[in-house]
Amino acid sequence: MKPMYKVINSIALAGMIGTMSIASYPTPASAAKTKAEVSTTADTASTKSNKNTKASAAVVKKVEQTLKKLTKKAYKLDKGSYIDDYGWDFNILGTPFPSQLLVDLKGNIQSGHIQEEHITFYIENNKISYTQQNIDMNDVAEQDIQAAEEVFSKLDLPSGELDGAVLQHKGKKQIIELMYTNDKYGTWIGVDKATHIVVAVNARALADDYFNKGQEAVDEYHKKIKAITARQLQDSGVAQAELLFGIDLNGHMVEKKAFPSDLALFTKKGAPTVEGRFNSDGSFYSMHIVYK
């Protein structure tokens, strides 16, 4: 039975991306790695083709040049896995931890991450979205921990152990992201370092577990995701944003993205933009305020 968020009117929340074992994550770096691996690979797992369509030398060169421009360091790509009518999923060679990129047919980096020993670059649309670095728990303010634990208590999840923290630089914001783990799952909660207010929640335990269950389960998942309407997302998103962040999303326009198919944006002039990942029940397992 899937866990449920404690949301207004008992809105069910089960999550979208398949669950992952996180039995041994001793450091914040490994927590960050796992999160990045899930977010990049899970979106493409069911769309990779069996076709042996190799990326052209021009595409590979463009991607590698973009990476050097963004990070000031030269990287090389593997041959990549082709995704029908979209592009390629590349692994980056020579990094100490798994690093991946999702690239379209024209050689533009749509999303991905590069994880080095002391810093991780997150990339979207050929630009660095944000960077992330490990920090010692002794450097985390008690107010940030209290804020995160208050939100965690609103999730109907097994009690989790605070297993590490990272510092994210998002635009002019500094976000402390705390990771809670139990014997199977991880939950990430982001807190604005300046205001001690929670601005992001990512509860992987609430994800649809369709991995390694065959193509029929994958097809059924995508069928349900496709059938979810913007109105459904608005109803669940308004309730969850109020519960988790104290933000009123009434009046926001909801945009359901085509790819990744579980992504939705809430936008309104003069108000914060909120991005969410939703599940096959039409509720969100992950939400965060967008900073640029």
Side-chain angles (χ1 to χ4, degrees), residues 78-149:
D78 71 353
K79 65 179 181 179
S81 299
Y82 180 66
I83 304 169
D84 282 344
D85 302 321
Y86 188 83
W88 295 268
D89 181 11
F90 288 106
N91 291 306
I92 300 174
L93 303 175
T95 56
F97 302 100
S99 301
Q100 292 177 284
L101 300 173
L102 186 60
V103 177
D104 68 17
L105 294 170
K106 295 182 179 180
N108 297 306
I109 302 173
Q110 296 300 302
S111 63
H113 72 285
I114 302 173
Q115 186 172 2
E116 296 287 2
E117 287 287 355
H118 303 294
I119 190 170
T120 301
F121 300 94
Y122 289 88
I123 303 172
E124 290 184 15
N125 300 320
N126 285 338
K127 297 180 181 179
I128 291 179
S129 175
Y130 65 96
T131 61
Q132 178 170 286
Q133 64 193 72
N134 297 338
I135 57 174
D136 191 280
M137 284 303 303
N138 292 326
D139 296 327
V140 179
E142 184 63 31
Q143 300 101 305
D144 294 332
I145 296 175
Q146 290 175 354
E149 291 185 347

Side-chain angles (χ1 to χ4, degrees), residues 146-171:
Q146 290 175 354
E149 291 185 347
E150 181 179 349
V151 169
F152 189 90
S153 69
K154 298 177 182 179
L155 309 176
D156 190 12
L157 294 174
S159 59
E161 178 182 354
L162 182 54
D163 198 32
V166 295
L167 175 63
Q168 299 174 338
H169 298 272
K170 295 186 174 183

Side-chain angles (χ1 to χ4, degrees), residues 38-231:
V38 175
S39 63
T40 303
T41 60
D43 293 335
T44 61
S46 62
T47 56
K48 289 183 180 179
S49 170
N50 292 324
K51 296 178 182 178
N52 186 22
T53 305
K54 184 178 179 180
S56 68
V59 165
V60 173
K61 182 179 180 180
K62 181 178 179 179
V63 174
E64 291 177 348
Q65 288 178 335
T66 300
L67 292 179
K68 187 172 183 179
K69 179 181 178 181
L70 295 176
T71 67
K72 312 304 179 185
K73 180 178 177 179
Y75 290 98
K76 294 294 183 181
L77 308 179
D78 71 353
K79 65 179 181 179
S81 299
Y82 180 66
I83 304 169
D84 282 344
D85 302 321
Y86 188 83
W88 295 268
D89 181 11
F90 288 106
N91 291 306
I92 300 174
L93 303 175
T95 56
F97 302 100
S99 301
Q100 292 177 284
L101 300 173
L102 186 60
V103 177
D104 68 17
L105 294 170
K106 295 182 179 180
N108 297 306
I109 302 173
Q110 296 300 302
S111 63
H113 72 285
I114 302 173
Q115 186 172 2
E116 296 287 2
E117 287 287 355
H118 303 294
I119 190 170
T120 301
F121 300 94
Y122 289 88
I123 303 172
E124 290 184 15
N125 300 320
N126 285 338
K127 297 180 181 179
I128 291 179
S129 175
Y130 65 96
T131 61
Q132 178 170 286
Q133 64 193 72
N134 297 338
I135 57 174
D136 191 280
M137 284 303 303
N138 292 326
D139 296 327
V140 179
E142 184 63 31
Q143 300 101 305
D144 294 332
I145 296 175
Q146 290 175 354
E149 291 185 347
E150 181 179 349
V151 169
F152 189 90
S153 69
K154 298 177 182 179
L155 309 176
D156 190 12
L157 294 174
S159 59
E161 178 182 354
L162 182 54
D163 198 32
V166 295
L167 175 63
Q168 299 174 338
H169 298 272
K170 295 186 174 183
K172 296 181 180 180
K173 293 284 187 178
Q174 292 189 29
I175 309 298
I176 300 292
E177 186 175 74
L178 300 166
M179 181 183 182
Y180 295 85
T181 64
N182 54 34
D183 60 346
K184 192 174 182 182
Y185 300 117
T187 298
W188 293 264
I189 299 178
V191 184
D192 187 324
K193 186 177 180 181
T195 64
H196 312 297
I197 294 174
V198 172
V199 295
V201 174
N202 185 356
R204 295 290 181 183
L206 305 176
D208 289 312
D209 183 9
Y210 61 82
F211 286 100
N212 298 320
K213 292 189 176 180
Q215 190 60 42
E216 184 176 346
V218 173
D219 291 344
E220 180 63 21
Y221 161 77
H222 283 288
K223 180 181 178 180
K224 289 181 179 179
I225 287 290
K226 186 176 181 180
I228 293 169
T229 66
R231 178 56 185 271

Side-chain angles (χ1 to χ4, degrees), residues 20-42:
M20 285 191 67
S21 172
I22 55 170
S24 55
Y25 294 147
T27 67
S30 59
K33 177 186 69 174
T34 303
K35 178 183 176 184
E37 287 173 351
V38 175
S39 63
T40 303
T41 60

